[in-house]
């Protein structure tokens, strides 16, 4: 299995949590970035089954300067397979900083395009603006992580070549909108994530996500395990 998004480097015992994931069958993990301090911690965990994406998360952005800091840091970090998390968050108090977030997002999308790397997006209550940014930058496709939008919004991302990643939200029966979207995404565009240590404690949590997805869709768990892992490998250009 492939966990398409984790921040385990922020936990106190990341190696133990990665091991717990492996014991539960999760052999590959994408560690997505948040800020400069986290990038070094991520880089230290790199390995054949631990893949890296660096970026300034929308909660931690300072503006366009973020892309310059990231570009300058890349040579001293383990090789990334993607740029992220980057994006826009229009929920709660984050909404006031949307202009700053957008400047950082555009600059980092541009960096991804220059480096020809896929992007890992965090988009909450800002899908229209985020789609406009992606169109403007002609950024390479990637992953919309923790997807919680409607089927109509999902369709817009799919049209642009993106994959949609689902996490703990689809295990919650109240999360009707996300569960409907998850039931409709074409199999070849579907990913699963633990968002550990926030969503689940370890990558092992994607077993629960896969079970929920199987109950919402027509495929058995084994097929979802195999295909979501193949999708992640294809997008991140990893050897099969
Ligand atoms: Zn996120």
């Amino acid at each position: 299995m492939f966990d398409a998004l984790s921040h385990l480097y922020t936990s106190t015992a990341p190696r133990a949590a990665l091991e717990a994931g492996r014991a539960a069958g999760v052999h590959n993990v994408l560690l997505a970035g948040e800020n400069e301090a986290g990038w070094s911690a991520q880089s230290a965990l790199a390995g054949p089954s631990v893949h890296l994406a660096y970026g300034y998360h929308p909660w931690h952005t300072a503006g366009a300067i973020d892309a310059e800091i990231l570009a300058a840091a890349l040579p001293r970090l383990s090789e990334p397979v993607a740029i992220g998390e980057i994006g826009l968050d229009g929920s709660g108090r984050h909404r006031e900083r949307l202009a700053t977030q957008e400047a950082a997002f555009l600059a980092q999308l541009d960096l991804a395009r220059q480096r020809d790397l896929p992007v890992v997006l965090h988009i909450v209550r800002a899908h229209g603006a985020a789609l406009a940014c992606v169109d403007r930058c002609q950024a390479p496709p990637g992953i919309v992580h923790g997807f919680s939008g409607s089927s109509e919004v999902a369709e817009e991302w799919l049209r642009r070549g993106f994959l949609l990643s689902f996490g703990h939200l689809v295990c919650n029966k109240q999360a009707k909108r996300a569960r409907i979207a998850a039931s409709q995404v074409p199999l070849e565009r579907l990913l699963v994530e633990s968002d550990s240590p926030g969503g689940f404690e370890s990558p092992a949590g994607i077993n629960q996500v896969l079970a929920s997805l199987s109950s919402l869709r027509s495929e058995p768990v084994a097929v979802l395990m195999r295909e979501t892992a193949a999708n992640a490998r294809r997008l991140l250009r990893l050897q099969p």
Side-chain angles (χ1 to χ4, degrees):
M1 282 177 271
F2 201 121
D3 180 356
L5 190 123
S6 166
H7 298 288
L8 266 186
Y9 56 91
T10 64
S11 86
T12 48
R15 287 177 200 280
L18 286 168
E19 198 41 57
R22 269 181 218 115
V26 186
H27 292 286
N28 282 275
V29 177
L30 175 64
L31 295 181
E34 290 180 345
N35 56 24
E36 200 177 1
W39 303 338
S40 306
Q42 286 175 257
S43 189
L45 291 167
S49 60
V50 180
H51 315 286
L52 305 169
Y54 306 110
Y56 267 104
H57 190 284
W59 298 350
H60 302 282
T61 50
I65 183 82
D66 291 353
E68 292 173 39
I69 297 169
L70 177 54
L74 285 175
R76 65 173 166 79
L77 299 169
S78 305
E79 186 81 6
V81 295
I83 296 291
E85 286 182 42
I86 58 176
L88 299 176
D89 193 324
S91 67
R93 63 189 165 88
H94 302 299
R95 186 152 205 96
E96 297 157 24
R97 297 184 67 256
L98 268 177
T100 306
Q101 289 183 36
E102 189 164 317
F105 185 37
L106 286 166
Q108 292 181 99
L109 284 171
D110 210 42
L111 179 65
R113 188 180 49 74
Q114 287 165 28
R115 306 275 167 135
D116 190 29
L117 286 170
V119 290
V120 182
L121 305 187
H122 169 108
I123 312 292
V124 179
R125 292 183 183 274
H127 284 281
L131 287 158
C133 288
V134 165
D135 289 347
R136 195 171 133 191
C137 289
Q138 299 192 314
I143 302 168
V144 183
H145 109 84
F147 189 77
S148 60
S150 65
S151 300
E152 291 74 22
V153 169
E155 195 51 50
E156 291 294 324
W157 288 110
L158 293 168
R159 215 144 50 82
R160 288 162 177 83
F162 277 76
L163 279 71
L164 303 184
S165 178
F166 294 89
H168 61 99
L169 196 61
V170 294
C171 302
N172 178 352
K173 289 206 167 74
Q174 311 296 320
K176 292 206 173 67
R177 193 177 61 180
R179 283 163 67 93
I180 291 169
S183 72
Q184 296 173 345
V185 173
L187 181 58
E188 68 274 13
R189 300 294 194 88
L190 190 67
L191 296 172
V192 289
E193 65 177 55
S194 69
D195 206 0
S196 51
F200 291 99
E201 250 174 70
S202 90
I206 66 170
N207 278 294
Q208 289 178 55
V209 179
L210 287 159
S212 293
L213 286 177
S214 182
S215 73
L216 295 169
R217 300 172 57 96
S218 57
E219 304 94 349
V221 171
V223 170
L224 291 171
M225 279 179 182
R226 187 185 70 219
E227 296 304 317
T228 53
N231 293 344
R233 300 198 79 90
R234 194 170 60 245
L235 177 80
L236 302 172
R237 302 169 199 156
L238 303 169
Q239 297 300 324

